[in-house]
Amino acid sequence: MDLTDLTIEELSRGYVDSGDAYECIFCKELFDAEEVFKIDDRFFTAKKAIQRHIENEHISVFEALLQLNKKDTGLSDIQTELLKLFATGAPDKEIVNSTTANSISTIRQHRFKLKEKEKQAKVFLAIMQALETTKVYEPIHKGATQVDERYAIIVDEKEKVLATYFKNGLDGSIESFPSKEKRKIILLQYIVTKFEQGRKYNEKEINEILKPIYSDYVSLRRYLIEYGFLDRSDDCTTYWVKEV
């Protein structure tokens, strides 16, 4: 898991929700979404269990984030030290006795700089979000049954997802099929290119093309139809690629 790929919401809560499981971003421990976890003679859902895990193993999301590498936080040692002390709510007169900062004026200067850093970070995030609108998005196939944010796919994102699942190259197979909708659509967009536009296929021919890609080729066939990439006759004997 790359921290740079996480959203602010995921960083702030300390875990990633994949739909199937909750994963701690600090130690990678997984909590299956369908399991119930016993902690201190009490039973918790996976979501509550990972929240307890962060409290028990990492003190808090705040503490764990401050323990990340400097290249991830962008904070100096003194800034990290002061942020921990600021979190206690102690006045500057008390903080000066617990830190390497040698005066109250130095502490106040750091407070000001950190506030400025926060404002600049907000503006920078807005700039980067605005940049997203300039990116070239993949075209949406006309057979899409419901067009929404799942189809906001940029070229770089598509290449990254395909490389993640087709570990041995695009002519190889995949070991698993994603549960996240956008990733699912990216894979289906590529898989449908294995079929010829305008040609009619029977079910056996469809299966022969899908089998080398994924062991559960029946599910692949169903997804291709469900998401509007393939169509079939009413008697399910003939299949074809929908107009792109």
Side-chain angles (χ1 to χ4, degrees):
M1 184 193 306
D2 190 338
L3 291 176
T4 59
D5 292 333
L6 302 180
T7 64
I8 292 179
E9 181 185 359
E10 289 169 335
L11 288 167
S12 298
R13 70 191 182 198
Y15 63 86
V16 172
D17 176 6
S18 66
D20 299 321
Y22 298 91
E23 181 178 357
C24 176
I25 68 173
F26 307 113
C27 66
K28 311 299 186 285
E29 184 161 347
L30 283 171
F31 292 79
D32 191 301
E34 296 186 359
E35 278 192 55
V36 174
F37 296 83
K38 186 178 181 180
I39 303 174
D40 298 331
D41 294 324
R42 295 178 62 191
F43 293 93
F44 295 88
T45 62
K47 186 175 181 179
K48 286 291 185 182
I50 195 167
Q51 292 170 347
R52 290 291 299 268
H53 162 80
I54 291 172
E55 292 173 5
N56 295 335
E57 300 298 327
H58 307 291
I59 304 177
S60 68
V61 175
F62 174 77
E63 287 283 344
L65 287 172
L66 287 181
Q67 295 300 319
L68 296 175
N69 293 328
K70 290 182 185 179
K71 68 179 182 66
D72 293 318
T73 65
L75 298 170
S76 65
D77 290 337
I78 184 64
Q79 287 174 328
T80 300
E81 180 185 6
L82 286 173
L83 281 169
K84 290 181 179 180
L85 291 168
F86 292 161
T88 67
D92 292 348
K93 289 182 180 180
E94 292 182 16
I95 289 176
V96 75
N97 297 319
S98 306
T99 179
T100 54
N102 54 16
S103 68
I104 292 177
S105 63
T106 300
I107 292 173
R108 288 174 179 169
Q109 186 178 19
H110 277 291
R111 279 189 186 272
F112 174 78
K113 287 183 176 179
L114 287 167
K115 283 293 182 182
E116 287 297 298
K117 193 179 184 76
E118 179 186 14
K119 293 176 185 176
Q120 291 165 354
K122 288 178 181 178
V123 174
F124 181 71
L125 283 173
I127 290 171
M128 295 307 292
Q129 288 176 9
L131 176 63
E132 290 293 318
T133 63
T134 68
K135 293 182 177 179
V136 178
Y137 289 86
E138 289 288 311
I140 300 174
H141 66 285
K142 293 182 180 179
T145 53
Q146 181 180 342
V147 178
D148 49 33
E149 69 278 358
R150 297 173 301 167
Y151 288 90
I153 301 166
I154 59 175
V155 175
D156 289 347
E157 182 179 22
K158 177 180 179 180
E159 291 176 351
K160 184 175 180 180
V161 170
L162 290 177
T164 298
Y165 285 90
F166 286 92
K167 300 182 186 300
N168 297 315
L170 294 178
D171 290 330
S173 61
I174 58 176
E175 297 177 357
S176 62
F177 198 74
S179 58
K180 284 194 173 183
E181 288 291 293
K182 182 177 282 192
R183 295 181 182 180
K184 188 182 293 185
I185 289 168
I186 288 173
L187 288 190
L188 293 174
Q189 281 179 337
Y190 172 71
I191 291 170
V192 78
T193 64
K194 301 288 185 179
F195 299 90
E196 296 177 25
Q197 188 83 34
R199 176 179 167 182
K200 301 291 185 179
Y201 295 86
N202 58 40
E203 186 172 298
K204 181 179 179 182
E205 290 171 326
I206 292 285
N207 293 343
E208 287 175 350
I209 292 172
L210 296 178
K211 279 181 182 179
I213 299 174
Y214 186 43
S215 57
D216 189 2
Y217 60 91
V218 174
S219 291
L220 273 189
R221 189 182 69 225
R222 185 177 71 250
Y223 286 137
L224 286 166
I225 294 169
E226 180 182 336
Y227 285 79
F229 290 97
L230 291 183
D231 206 347
R232 64 184 175 187
S233 58
D234 292 339
D235 60 3
C236 301
T237 59
T238 307
Y239 296 76
W240 61 90
V241 178
K242 277 196 171 184
E243 183 183 358
V244 295

